[in-house]
Structure formats: C-alpha cells, structure tokens
C-alpha cells in the first residue's frame, strides 16, 4: 500500500501557532520555535542593524493522517496543491474590560464593555478586521498578501502579512507594534485604555489540499500574535503547555503517567527557577549562580536526580518549598515566587500567589517519594530527525511552551480562557474549537460580562474565531508590560515576587557589566561585583507611572533583549556560569552604567546620524533627570492595578 493510499485526511500543525510583533522590515525575521526546549534563533541577533525588533514568524505545516488519526507524514507543495486561508482580527477595543480572570471561583469580577459610550453599529468601528486572505505555491509573497484593509474608526491598521516558504508551508507575520489613541489622549491604566488600539491579532488558519486524486479540507489551526520575547531562551516555571496539559489530564482526555521522568517533568521546574536569575534579581539571589539553591549545580543536581533513600531528605526538603495549588490558605513564603491571578483584589486569598499546576505538584510529590525514572529521552536538533507523530507533538508543545502559563492578570501572550475546557476539542488534544468559516464572533453579551455568561456552554468560549483569543488581553499591550513589574511589597530587600519576568524582564545584567566580568585584568572580587550588579530593565522610562506606560508605547523597540552569551574564559574555579544572559541591543537611551560610550550603533553610522543620535541622547538625559527630580511615584508602583 502506498503512502498516498494511507492518507485519508490531513491537519495543520502547530494547532496553535505563536507569532510575535516587530518593527524591523519583514525581510529580517526569524521562525518561532518548533522543537521543545530549543529556543528561536535569529541570525545576527533579534534586532536589525538599525535597532528595530525582528518579527517572530509562525510557520504552519500540513500532515497527512490515516482514518484513525495516525500521522503518516508531512504534505508539502512538492507533491500537492495547497491553498492556505487566513483570517485574523483585533477585537480588543470592542470587547470587555479586564478586571480579573472570570473563571476564579467566587472571586471573579464582572466586566463592562470597553468604549461603552460607543453603541450599536458604531461599535464595529472598534474592530480591526482585514478579512480573509488566500495564498498558495512556493516562496509566494507580495502586497496582495498583506493583512491590510482593517480600520480602527477611519484609521488604516495593518495586522501583518502572509507568505509561503520553499515547501509551500505558510509563514505568518504579525503586526509592527503600532499602538495609538483615536482622540490623542494618553494611556492612563494597565489594561483598559478607551480609545486605544494596537496591532495584535489572532484567528483561524485553514487549507485545502489536493494530493493526487484526493481532495481534503485540513483540520484548521489558530494563530495568535504576541508581543516581543524580551527573554530569549528563557521559560516560565509554569508554561502555557503545562497549564493546558494539566487540563487535559484532569479531563482524562490524555493519560497521565503515574511515574514522572526526572529530566522531562521535574528538572525543568528547577532549572527554570534558576534561569530566571537573568531577568529578576531576587531569583538571582535565591536560585542563581553561586547560590546554595542553584539547581543547575552538578553536585546538587546529582542529589536531586537520585531516586534512592540517600537523597530522600533533600528531595523532601525542596518539595516542601512548593506551594500546594489546593491549599485553602495563602502561603506567600512558598515558591514559585510569582504573583497570581487574584493579585491586588484579594490580598489574603491563596490565588494571590502563583502555584505550579496540580499535575506539576503531583509529579513533585512522586519525585520526593522516590517514585521517578531517570532515563533520558533522545534530543533532536531538527524536526526531520523525528518520526511524523513526534513532529506533530513537538510542533504543538514548542508553541505553547514558549508562552507563559500565568499569572493571568490578564496575561501577556494568551489569557485564562486557555485553561477552560470549553475552548478545546475533546478528542484532538491541543486543538481549539473553531467557528465555521465566515462566521463572525459575537462581541456583545450584554452590559456586563459575568462568569455565568463567560463560562456558559454556548458562551464566548465555545468556539474561537478572528480576534477572540487576544481580546481578553490589555489594550494596548505596551501599557500592561510597563505596569507588571516586581517587588510591590517594599518591606523586603529582594525584588520579589514577579509577574511575567521570563518575557518582560525586571532586572538584567547589562552589556557593560558583562564586559567587565570578562575582563581578566580586573581582580576576581571586582569581576564578581559586576556579575552581581543588575539594573532595572525599564530604568530609562522614569518613575512617573503615566509617563512610563506612554513612553513604552513609543519606545518599546529600544528596550534591550536578554540573550544568551558565553561565560568568561579561564573559569576553572567556577565563579561564573558557562552561559550568561545579557541585556543586548539596547537602544540609544542615556546609559545608567558607569561608563557611557556615546551611541549603541555609532560605529555603523554616518557623521550626521551620530550627531542626531547624540542630540537624542542629550534630550533623553534631560527627561530622565527631570523625572528623577519629580519622584511622583515609587519605582515599584503599579499604577491602577
């Protein structure tokens, strides 16, 4: 029997792809992760030569399946006629305000409509919808495939474009990161700025496939556009994959292994606690390099991975650090040290703090008892090294693993609806229920959106469509990122807990500090001092809340990106890690490092460009000094949260 005869249907993977915005020209892009644990890689860095952020592009593939859903192989344009159809939209301004997650039992706060003074048919002007686009062939691109035509009131807003690669796979490019107000008023709050829009989007991805005599409509997928990843190669202690996997296990849609594997289920939790040292100073003190709780330290790792009685006391000791997700009392001293969904509204509720998922907690219990395996699974560098079944599983996991699994207040990539079973197909794990093609989502469910409506069987979560995933998030996205910091309790010297630090850093190791810690002409005490010195990621935006969030709208692309660098040479004593994440490609802000070397890109610029950049630096210096003098609000304030 030929492979063509085995294929009875087909599906698009990943079932939910994640693109990220960027303001660099689309010719300079990088692909979203496709293998779990293998971060996205951008040639020559995550910004272009002018300091603009490159777009992360979601790539979609088609796989042929048997009648009983076994994966046969990928289908490409080398052998089939493939016509892709994509329909994304931005519905944020026409949706409801964010107060808190509407699935918080007994704690949810009903929401009123955003831009509530706009009524009736006029509310359609709040939806940015360019309509559906089709594309086919290999290496196809052009103006006709740009996602233009959508408007916010009368303003044209582009949501990106689509292309195909050399195999006819779909490439989805998100927006440029442009956000603005229709009436010119500044943003004032973290999530609900009336009159504002951004160019985030999401929607269905469909395809028709003609393979020989077989014509098929592929099982559709969804694409969602997220803000930039400012912590490349770092992961949340709880990822969106962890959240969704926990849901599927609890619904018994997937079978949960009773015995965890240390390297697959346990070590990632500890490693991510340690790796968060690069974006939060408190994590650095508690779990970072040279800390007794550095979980990547080989000696400690040998103990943690030992299932025998020899290390039982250590395993139980560390297990007791973790917050029980089913505890009825707040445990602020437990870990992970992140804020939770009930932050700010309910200071004594357990959900003020983030917990690992119930599945993660169960596996940690089994690990503490010694019930775990230690065999390492094969690692892969390329999808082609895997079986077709593993390829589809990897594509689904890699996309969700890159997204944070909380806190959902409201979230930065996707929000709390992702943990609601109504969203998902029961028999097709990781695939969302999607509206019929051409069917428009409902944007008005009454003057108040209460949990009873939001979670109803026929409510807004029953099926996804253009713009329905990202409408639950803040508008514009920049104001939320600039609001969600760390250490809101000033009584502790550690800047803990945090919100979304793996994507939105709090404190970082600067390029100047990195240069000094590598300088072997300095004594080791001086080098370690520079290694320990972390700077606020948003240090150039000042301390005035409204100024900060509005400057983020304008200058988000100038912020540095935490990127993996090599540790110093001649490090036999292990004072420094082998890999160090450094705040890289920071724009032409005034430097608050000890030595300021003119402009970031001066060596590549003309004399006129250097002069203009120097003028900009002087202007920024004056603004920073003015804001420091005002000191209207504390550094770790969160505005209206």
């Amino acid at each position: 029997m030929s492979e063509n005869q085995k294929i009875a249907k087909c599906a698009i993977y990943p079932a939910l792809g994640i693109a990220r915005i960027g303001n660099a020209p689309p010719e300079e892009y990088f692909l979203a992760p496709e293998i779990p644990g293998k971060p996205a890689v951008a040639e020559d860095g995550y910004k272009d030569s002018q300091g603009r952020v490159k777009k992360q592009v979601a790539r979609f593939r088609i796989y042929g399946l048997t009648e009983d859903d076994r994966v046969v192989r990928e289908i490409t344009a080398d052998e089939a006629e493939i016509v892709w159809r994509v329909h994304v939209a931005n519905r944020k301004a026409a949706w409801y305000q964010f107060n808190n997650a509407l699935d918080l039992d007994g704690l949810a706060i009903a929401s009123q409509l955003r831009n509530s003074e706009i009524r009736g048919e006029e509310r359609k002007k709040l939806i940015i919808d360019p309509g559906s686009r089709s594309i086919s062939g290999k290496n196809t691109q052009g103006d006709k495939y740009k996602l233009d035509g959508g408007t916010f009131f009368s303003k044209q807003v582009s949501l990106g474009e689509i292309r195909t690669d050399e195999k006819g796979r779909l490439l989805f490019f998100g927006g440029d990161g442009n956000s603005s107000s229709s009436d010119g008023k500044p943003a004032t709050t973290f999530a609900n700025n009336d009159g504002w829009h951004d160019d985030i989007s999401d929607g269905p991805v469909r395809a028709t496939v003609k393979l020989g005599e077989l014509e098929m409509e592929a099982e559709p997928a969804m694409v969602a556009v997220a803000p930039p990843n400012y912590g490349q190669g770092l992961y949340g202690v709880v990822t969106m994959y962890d959240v969704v996997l926990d849901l599927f296990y609890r619904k018994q849609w997937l079978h949960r292994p009773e015995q965890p594997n240390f390297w697959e289920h346990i070590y990632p939790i500890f490693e991510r606690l340690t790796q968060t040292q690069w974006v939060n100073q408190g994590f650095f003190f508690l779990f970072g390099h040279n800390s007794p709780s550095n979980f990547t330290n080989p000696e400690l790792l040998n103990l943690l991975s030992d299932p025998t009685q020899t290390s039982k006391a250590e395993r139980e000791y560390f297990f007791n650090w973790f917050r029980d997700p089913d505890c009825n009392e707040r445990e602020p001293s437990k870990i992970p040290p992140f804020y939770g969904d009930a932050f700010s509204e309910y200071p004594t509720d357990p959900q003020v703090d983030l917990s690992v998922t119930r599945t993660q907690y169960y596996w940690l219990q089994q690990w503490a008892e010694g019930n775990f395996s230690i065999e390492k699974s094969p690692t892969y560098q390329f999808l082609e090294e895997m079986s077709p079944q593993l390829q589809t599983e990897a594509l689904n996991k890699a996309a969700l693993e890159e997204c944070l699994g909380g806190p959902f207040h409201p979230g930065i990539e996707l929000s709390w609806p992702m943990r609601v079973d109504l969203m998902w197909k029961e028999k097709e794990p990781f695939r969302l229920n999607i509206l019929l093609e051409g069917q428009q989502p409902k944007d008005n469910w009454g003057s108040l959106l209460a949990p009873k409506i939001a979670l109803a069987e026929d409510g807004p979560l029953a099926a996804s469509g253009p713009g329905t995933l990202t409408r639950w998030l803040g508008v514009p996205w920049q104001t939320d990122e600039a609001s969600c910091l760390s250490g809101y309790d000033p009584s502790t010297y550690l800047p803990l807990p945090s919100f979304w630090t793996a994507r939105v850093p709090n404190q970082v190791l600067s390029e100047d500090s990195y240069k000094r810690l590598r300088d072997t002409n300095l004594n080791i005490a001086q080098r370690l001092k520079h290694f320990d010195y972390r700077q606020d990621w948003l240090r150039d935006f000042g301390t005035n809340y409204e100024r900060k969030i509005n400057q983020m709208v304008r200058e988000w692309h100038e912020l540095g990106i935490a990127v993996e660098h090599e540790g110093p040479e001649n490090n036999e004593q292990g004072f420094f890690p082998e890999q160090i994440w450094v705040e890289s490609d920071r724009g032409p802000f005034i430097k608050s490092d000890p030595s300021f070397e003119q402009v970031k890109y001066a060596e590549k610029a003309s004399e006129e460009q250097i002069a203009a950049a120097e003028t900009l630096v002087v202007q920024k210096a004056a603004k920073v000094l003015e804001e420091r003098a005002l000191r209207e609000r504390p550094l770790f304030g969160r505005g209206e949260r």
Side-chain angles (χ1 to χ4, degrees):
M1 182 181 291
S2 70
E3 285 190 331
N4 278 2
Q5 289 174 304
K6 293 180 182 177
I7 293 173
K9 51 188 176 180
C10 60
I12 300 170
Y13 291 89
L16 173 56
I18 304 296
R20 294 182 184 270
I21 62 170
N23 61 340
E27 286 66 38
E28 296 201 56
Y29 69 89
F30 60 95
L31 292 171
E34 295 185 323
I35 298 176
K38 186 177 180 184
V41 176
E43 293 184 9
D44 301 319
Y46 297 93
K47 292 188 180 182
D48 69 4
S49 60
Q50 297 185 43
R52 295 171 296 192
V53 175
K54 297 178 183 178
K55 296 179 191 289
Q56 174 176 300
V57 171
R59 176 162 62 181
F60 291 90
R61 304 164 183 251
I62 294 174
Y63 282 81
L65 312 174
T66 63
E67 194 62 57
D68 58 353
D69 295 322
R70 288 183 292 113
V71 182
V72 179
R73 58 181 169 81
E74 184 184 0
I75 300 172
T76 71
D78 287 341
E79 58 177 330
E81 296 177 19
I82 302 172
V83 179
W84 298 93
R85 307 186 305 283
V86 180
H87 188 177
V88 297
N90 178 310
R91 317 186 87 83
K92 286 185 177 185
W95 194 235
Y96 290 83
Q97 294 183 350
F98 174 81
N99 291 321
N100 64 1
L102 292 177
D103 66 339
L104 292 179
D105 188 23
L107 304 178
I109 303 171
S111 302
Q112 68 178 20
L113 287 164
R114 288 174 175 152
N115 299 288
S116 58
E117 75 283 357
I118 300 173
R119 298 181 175 87
E121 289 296 304
E122 287 293 298
R123 291 192 63 81
K124 291 182 179 179
K125 296 179 180 180
L126 300 169
I127 300 169
I128 305 167
D129 187 349
S132 182
R133 294 289 190 279
S134 297
I135 191 169
S136 62
K138 301 178 181 180
N139 295 316
T140 305
Q141 59 179 286
D143 288 344
K144 64 184 292 187
Y145 305 111
K146 295 184 184 300
L147 303 175
D148 298 338
T151 60
F152 187 74
F153 290 100
S154 58
K155 179 185 177 182
Q156 294 282 331
V157 180
S158 175
L159 298 182
E161 66 177 280
I162 55 174
R163 299 180 179 183
T164 60
D165 70 4
E166 71 281 357
K167 293 289 187 179
R169 305 178 184 114
L170 177 72
L171 301 177
F172 184 93
F173 296 71
D176 294 335
N178 296 323
S179 303
S180 65
S181 168
S182 61
D183 55 12
K185 292 181 179 179
T188 60
T189 185
F190 73 102
N192 301 308
N193 291 287
D194 281 355
W196 278 80
H197 75 84
D198 57 30
D199 56 4
I200 294 291
S201 67
D202 67 88
V205 175
R206 293 181 166 89
T208 55
V209 180
K210 185 176 181 182
L211 180 64
E213 298 299 317
L214 182 63
E215 293 189 22
M216 301 172 284
E217 178 68 24
E219 186 68 29
M222 289 284 289
V223 64
V225 180
N229 179 355
Y230 292 104
Q232 292 289 345
L234 302 176
Y235 296 91
V237 176
V238 181
T239 69
M240 187 63 77
Y241 178 79
D242 295 320
V243 170
V244 176
L245 184 67
D246 176 67
L247 170 67
F248 294 162
Y249 283 157
R250 287 188 289 107
K251 297 295 294 183
Q252 297 184 349
W253 295 348
L254 286 176
H255 174 69
R256 183 186 70 185
E258 292 305 309
Q259 184 185 68
N261 177 275
F262 178 79
W263 301 105
E264 181 180 353
H265 303 121
I266 305 302
Y267 178 61
I269 299 173
F270 290 110
E271 180 195 31
R272 291 165 186 177
L273 284 167
T274 289
Q275 292 300 78
T276 306
Q277 68 179 301
W278 305 116
V279 282
N280 180 280
Q281 190 172 24
F283 277 81
F284 171 57
F285 284 140
L286 293 178
F287 311 113
H289 194 76
N290 298 325
S291 162
S293 302
N294 171 12
F295 294 115
T296 60
N297 181 300
E299 292 183 10
L300 179 56
L301 193 54
N302 285 337
L303 276 176
L304 299 182
S305 59
D306 176 13
T308 69
Q309 288 290 116
T310 304
S311 64
K312 185 175 182 180
E314 284 80 7
R315 295 196 311 269
E316 291 179 338
Y317 174 74
F318 285 117
F319 169 70
N320 287 327
W321 284 14
F322 283 88
R323 188 175 295 116
D324 184 347
D326 289 317
C327 182
N328 294 321
E329 297 180 358
R330 191 183 173 201
E331 300 176 301
S333 62
K334 298 275 189 172
I335 65 172
F338 292 99
Y339 294 115
D341 294 351
F343 175 80
S344 79
E345 290 89 11
Y346 303 98
T348 62
D349 191 87
Q351 295 181 85
V352 168
D353 307 298
L354 184 72
S355 300
V356 294
T357 68
R358 289 180 176 87
T359 295
Q360 288 177 305
Y361 193 75
Y362 170 79
W363 280 335
L364 285 166
Q365 282 180 312
Q366 299 305 303
W367 165 76
E369 294 171 6
N371 179 30
F372 64 96
S373 63
I374 56 174
E375 294 77 20
K376 289 188 176 182
S377 300
T379 57
Y380 302 97
Q381 295 299 313
F382 304 98
L383 277 179
E384 292 72 21
E385 298 172 350
M386 307 178 191
S387 69
Q389 178 67 45
L390 286 179
Q391 289 178 34
T392 61
E393 294 173 3
L395 290 167
N396 282 341
K397 182 177 181 179
L400 292 176
E401 185 181 65
E402 194 203 21
C403 296
L404 301 182
F408 297 131
H409 201 279
I412 202 59
E413 292 138 334
L414 296 165
S415 194
W416 62 268
M418 300 293 287
R419 64 187 177 203
V420 177
D421 58 351
L422 287 170
M423 296 279 288
W424 301 94
K425 286 182 173 289
E426 179 178 343
K427 296 182 179 180
E428 297 181 57
F430 305 104
R431 199 169 293 277
L432 292 156
N433 290 313
I434 298 177
L435 290 171
L436 296 175
E437 189 166 14
Q439 185 178 354
Q440 284 293 322
K442 183 177 176 180
D443 295 296
N444 193 327
W445 296 81
S447 58
L448 286 177
L449 185 63
K452 183 177 181 180
I453 300 171
L455 301 174
E457 291 286 339
D458 57 351
L461 302 183
S464 298
T468 62
L469 297 181
T470 56
R471 65 184 176 182
W472 301 93
L473 300 170
V475 57
W477 64 268
Q478 292 100 329
T479 58
D480 208 8
E481 289 206 356
S483 299
C484 293
L485 308 179
S486 65
Y488 293 103
D489 179 0
S491 66
T492 173
Y493 78 99
L494 292 179
L496 285 172
S498 180
F499 270 87
W500 306 315
T501 185
R503 295 291 162 266
V504 186
N506 305 138
Q507 294 83 31
V508 289
L509 184 75
S510 71
E511 287 184 316
D512 281 353
S513 292
Y514 176 64
K515 180 172 64 177
R516 285 165 173 73
L517 71 88
R518 288 172 58 89
D519 186 353
T520 55
N521 292 319
L522 298 177
N523 63 54
I524 192 61
Q526 189 76 356
R527 293 170 66 194
L528 283 169
K529 182 182 74 174
H530 289 295
F531 175 65
D532 293 344
Y533 177 50
R534 305 298 161 90
Q535 297 214 42
D536 288 315
W537 183 62
L538 289 175
R539 58 193 178 276
D540 299 290
F541 288 179
T543 60
N544 179 286
Y545 178 70
E546 288 190 12
R547 291 187 184 185
K548 177 171 21 181
I549 63 175
N550 284 281
Q551 192 169 352
M552 180 70 171
V553 171
R554 298 187 300 270
E555 300 178 0
W556 59 269
H557 54 282
E558 293 188 2
L559 290 165
I561 299 175
V563 178
E564 183 179 2
H565 288 60
E566 292 292 330
E569 298 177 354
N570 302 320
N571 185 33
E572 291 81 6
Q573 292 178 293
F575 287 120
F576 305 100
E578 294 182 2
Q579 303 298 322
I580 295 175
W581 269 253
V582 182
E583 179 195 41
S584 305
D585 296 319
R586 185 163 163 250
F589 293 117
I590 177 175
K591 295 265 187 174
S592 49
D593 290 344
S595 69
F596 170 58
E597 302 176 357
Q598 295 290 348
V599 213
K600 172 67 182 171
Y601 302 103
E603 71 278 5
K604 300 179 182 179
S606 66
E607 292 183 6
E608 293 80 7
Q609 289 172 320
I610 293 174
E614 289 174 341
T615 300
L616 179 63
V617 167
V618 172
Q619 292 171 345
K620 287 183 181 292
K623 178 184 277 190
V624 170
L625 292 173
E626 176 189 357
E627 290 173 347
R628 286 176 182 168
L630 289 173
R631 295 191 182 278
E632 293 180 9
R633 298 191 185 186
L635 176 61
F636 294 119
R638 190 174 181 169
E640 296 192 1
R641 280 229 169 169

